[in-house]
Amino acid sequence: MDTSLFHALNLLDCVILERISENKFEVLYNKSQWLDLILPESKSSQPFSFQQNSIYLEDFLIDAGELWDGQKEGKIDSGIWSEKRAEQTFRLEAAAFVKQGKCYLVVHNIKQQFEEKQQTLQIAREVLISSDKFVEQHDFLHAKIDSMMQQIDNSKTIQQPVLQALEQTDLGVAILDPKLQLITGNPALESLFSDSHIKIQLPVDKLLLELFKKQYPEYERVMSTCSPWVGELCWLNPPEQGKWFKVAIYPIKDENQSVLYWLLSVSDVTQVKFLLKRNEKLTHFDVLTDLPNRQYFWQQLESKISHNRPFYLLYIDIKYFKRINELHGHLVGDRLIKELSKRLNTIARVNELVARIGGTEFAIIMELDHMHTQFSTEDQAQCTKFVNDLISTCSLPFYFDSNIKCNVGLSVGAAAFPTDSNNAEELMKYADLAVFTAKKDTKSGLAFYSKKLVDASLKRIEMEDSLRNAISEQEFELFLQPIINIASNKIVKAEALIRWRRADGQLIPPDQFIPLAEQTGLIIPIGKWIIAEACRLLAVIQQQGYEIIMSVNLSPRQVSDRQLFDFIKTKLNKESISPKLLELELTEGVLIDNYERVHYLLSKLRQLGVSVSIDDFGTGYSSLAYLQKLPIDHIKIDRSFIMSLTNNATNGDSEAAIVLAVIAMAKSLNMGVIAEGVETLLQKDFLIENKCQFAQGYLFSRPLPFEEFCVHLKSNQTPTELH
């Protein structure tokens, strides 16, 4: 098991030392920054002796020494103490133990756990706010997990002490296989039900999954789509109070996006719920927004159903919220949610219930203007107008301190009572499925639940399975579309375009499977295959006596893959290809959404010799700021602007003016210009007249299978050096 996973989840924020003699210690595990501040002597030499830099720890070592000298397996704890260093306060806890004849000392940094325990002793309002942070933290960490699992640490030197340290965490952890069978769990998981008077009939991990399945309609969708989930589960134990748990479930995937493990983490929040019961308002209302919470909304939904009047259940999810948290921090994120909830309330009528049912999720019971029980097209139109009003209002910018401007969108799913279902659980399940569909679109929008939607969801799952099989069976191939030097009519580049040729011979174009690959993360292994295959084809072309540049598109997810640069470098070296023969294409949206990561990646690629072009320029966030700051070599004018160059176009027309402006701007920034979608001689002549250097399009050639491309290349030019 990869220990970096537990470290990133704050389960191993500790230092592990081994006592090798009476006064000598050796550091076995340290991925923390605070050890040098607490014990600077550990940095200077190995092994080291304690030099009284921590009075509390030195005092504990006296008791620990008695345990170690006895050489009997066992463990003692120090209790919590504080250390102040460089204006930082650390909350620490140590454990000494003997295992298999060896003596270990583990020092935990438990600042987070300490603060959480302090909060549970304060007013429930503070506790609830920290609960929101729990959701945000797990959502933020999920992005790390996928990449970490690709970098397994095979070192076994510290395996035993690491596992022992894991046993000390207060957070219950279970690692499950893809079929949800337990692989390993820690003692904290079992201790959730350690009370002597509580008896459970199932293993703890099975019980928690059963509770999830019974209490949340989205269970099937989460498991079938391998999605992360965070929420609260209630375990009843009549006639006693029972228990409440905060639970996070995350899939851990390999580089092909197949599930390796499920990670289940859980903490007992029963005490928090007990505090909430003292204040009825906090029991039923969300602290941050003052809106009804999930529990109260559920009660009102069942009550509404009992009245047997038609209504729409709307499930709302905030788009782009994660980006705002990463850019501006959780405080700004909280303020945005608070302001957005006010906007939702301004659109809803007095008798319509608006609730916050999750971190970025809201729900609305939308009233209809009539009393009958059958829905009509007018009802759907009313719902559509209502949702459009919500989207328009919430899409307006949010302004905060220090000139912070934030923009979000809404994905909305709608289920109708009683047409879709007359059951609260099914309505929530259907609305959840609808919003899951709406979230696939990059823009804000509304999706109604329907049988067609269910069929599409099943088809999507089938397509995903087929796509996974296509990756393992390598059912893909690259078509190449020539890019021409307009002045010489010679092929100087080729854009690599993926095609999926299924086992039955059916050829599937990228627009039918790339969006799904993006949504599921399968674009990572597919993108790596494209890069590897492009390098291989470049080597074949070079062996035939030709040199051209191969252009490969990068997706947003690929840019976030921290292994991408090393992968590109490895494949170029393997095929003995010069980096100058590879060009990577990115869209403007990728540059804006992930600027820091893109800047780092492109700078390293430029140093390596790989060139970069901006695809579909003019259709996104066109900004001179990033063009000036990022190492970009070429701009590709989007085909929509080239197609607008008709027989009637003149240099004064707006369509032509845009093309001319892009060419002039690129030249001023010392960048090359490539015109996409050239289909007529008129368009070509316009580009030549205005000194555009390169072009691609059906006028020159359609995308070709590799063998046909090589024939076309040979007919276009004689073996020569790179143009």
Side-chain angles (χ1 to χ4, degrees), residues 242-509:
K243 286 179 174 288
W244 279 89
F245 302 105
K246 179 74 75 173
V247 179
I249 300 172
Y250 277 105
I252 303 171
K253 301 179 181 179
D254 62 16
E255 63 178 5
N256 291 329
Q257 298 302 296
S258 296
V259 175
L260 289 172
Y261 311 102
W262 286 91
L263 175 70
L264 186 153
S265 58
V266 55
S267 56
D268 190 330
V269 292
T270 305
Q271 185 180 5
V272 175
K273 292 297 182 180
F274 177 75
L275 289 172
L276 291 177
K277 285 186 176 181
R278 297 182 181 180
N279 187 318
E280 185 177 354
K281 186 175 188 298
L282 292 179
T283 304
H284 293 143
F285 289 82
D286 175 63
V287 170
L288 183 64
T289 64
D290 249 358
L291 293 176
N293 59 19
R294 186 184 185 98
Q295 288 75 28
Y296 184 72
F297 180 81
W298 193 274
Q299 294 173 14
Q300 295 303 304
L301 178 60
E302 291 183 327
S303 174
K304 187 71 176 176
I305 289 173
S306 68
H307 295 157
N308 201 30
R309 286 188 56 182
F311 63 86
Y312 273 109
L313 170 61
L314 305 180
Y315 203 129
I316 302 169
D317 190 78
I318 306 174
K319 299 179 75 69
Y320 322 125
F321 183 76
K322 181 180 177 182
R323 183 196 308 169
I324 290 170
N325 265 348
E326 292 175 350
L327 286 175
H328 304 298
H330 292 305
L331 289 178
V332 170
D334 285 349
R335 291 180 63 186
L336 187 146
I337 286 178
K338 190 172 182 178
E339 292 302 315
L340 185 140
S341 69
K342 292 179 181 178
R343 295 188 186 184
L344 293 177
N345 257 332
T346 61
I347 302 299
R349 294 176 291 188
V350 176
N351 58 341
E352 291 174 330
L353 181 66
V354 182
R356 186 187 183 202
I357 59 174
T360 62
E361 297 164 335
F362 295 81
I364 298 177
I365 297 176
M366 195 202 98
E367 296 279 0
L368 292 174
D369 294 334
H370 58 69
M371 297 289 292
H372 60 256
T373 58
Q374 296 300 317
F375 278 75
S376 64
T377 55
E378 288 79 8
D379 299 322
Q380 193 168 94
Q382 181 188 340
C383 181
T384 301
K385 182 182 182 305
F386 178 77
V387 171
N388 286 340
D389 289 344
L390 292 177
I391 291 173
S392 297
T393 301
C394 294
S395 296
L396 296 173
F398 293 83
Y399 295 95
F400 301 108
D401 300 337
S402 304
N403 297 319
I404 295 176
K405 175 185 175 182
C406 302
N407 289 92
V408 297
L410 299 181
S411 296
V412 185
F417 170 85
T419 303
D420 294 332
S421 175
N422 57 7
N423 175 278
E425 182 174 346
E426 285 188 347
L427 277 175
M428 288 289 283
K429 176 180 177 180
Y430 295 161
D432 172 74
L433 179 60
V435 77
F436 182 72
T437 301
K439 286 164 67 174
K440 297 174 190 175
D441 197 327
T442 56
K443 298 180 180 179
S444 297
L446 164 67
F448 287 95
Y449 171 80
S450 66
K451 179 66 167 57
K452 183 178 179 182
L453 184 149
V454 175
D455 293 341
S457 179
L458 293 174
K459 185 176 179 181
R460 177 187 182 277
I461 294 173
E462 291 174 1
M463 175 70 84
E464 184 178 340
D465 290 340
S466 297
L467 201 52
R468 291 183 189 280
N469 183 68
I471 293 171
S472 61
E473 298 298 325
Q474 295 192 353
E475 295 179 354
F476 302 109
E477 61 182 274
L478 289 185
F479 279 36
L480 304 182
Q481 184 173 31
I483 298 175
I484 307 298
N485 182 315
I486 301 180
S488 64
N489 271 327
K490 296 296 184 181
I491 299 173
V492 292
K493 299 183 182 182
E495 181 176 0
L497 302 167
I498 190 171
R499 299 292 187 268
W500 176 10
R501 192 178 296 278
R502 303 185 72 157
D504 59 5
Q506 180 186 4
L507 195 65
I508 302 178

Side-chain angles (χ1 to χ4, degrees), residues 106-202:
V106 180
V107 183
H108 292 267
N109 177 12
I110 62 166
K111 181 180 180 181
Q112 179 178 343
Q113 296 93 318
F114 177 86
E115 291 176 349
E116 289 177 353
K117 287 181 178 179
Q118 290 298 104
Q119 287 175 338
T120 61
L121 300 177
Q122 299 173 9
I123 188 67
R125 175 179 293 272
E126 297 179 14
V127 178
L128 277 180
I129 293 175
S130 71
S131 177
D132 283 341
K133 296 298 183 291
F134 180 95
V135 176
E136 293 163 352
Q137 177 192 25
H138 275 261
D139 188 46
F140 175 77
L141 289 173
H142 181 229
K144 290 185 177 181
I145 296 174
D146 287 337
S147 60
M148 283 188 294
M149 293 306 294
Q150 311 301 323
Q151 305 176 38
I152 303 295
D153 179 5
N154 294 318
S155 173
K156 298 182 179 179
T157 308
I158 60 170
Q159 183 178 8
Q160 183 58 48
V162 167
L163 292 175
Q164 187 71 26
L166 180 60
E167 292 178 354
Q168 312 307 314
T169 181
D170 291 335
L171 194 66
V173 179
I175 305 296
L176 311 175
D177 70 12
K179 295 183 179 179
L180 301 178
Q181 299 302 309
L182 181 68
I183 295 175
T184 186
N186 66 349
L189 186 72
E190 298 299 327
S191 69
L192 293 170
F193 295 93
S194 61
D195 313 57
S196 59
H197 60 284
I198 294 181
K199 303 295 182 183
I200 59 175
Q201 305 301 318
L202 292 171

Side-chain angles (χ1 to χ4, degrees), residues 19 56-81 92-99 102-108 164-165 167-168:
R19 189 176 82 151
Y56 303 94
L57 188 56
E58 294 276 351
D59 184 64
F60 175 63
L61 288 177
I62 298 173
D63 295 330
E66 296 180 2
L67 171 68
W68 291 329
D69 292 339
Q71 285 297 303
K72 291 184 179 180
E73 289 201 354
K75 181 177 78 74
I76 60 172
D77 297 310
S78 67
I80 300 172
W81 83 90
L92 304 175
E93 187 176 33
F97 58 91
V98 178
K99 192 73 174 179
K102 294 187 176 182
C103 303
Y104 297 107
L105 175 68
V106 180
V107 183
H108 292 267
Q164 187 71 26
E167 292 178 354
Q168 312 307 314

Side-chain angles (χ1 to χ4, degrees), residues 478-480 537 540-541 544 704-711:
L478 289 185
F479 279 36
L480 304 182
L537 297 183
V540 174
I541 292 172
Q544 295 177 359
L704 301 171
F706 181 65
E707 298 297 334
E708 292 183 31
F709 174 82
C710 290
V711 173

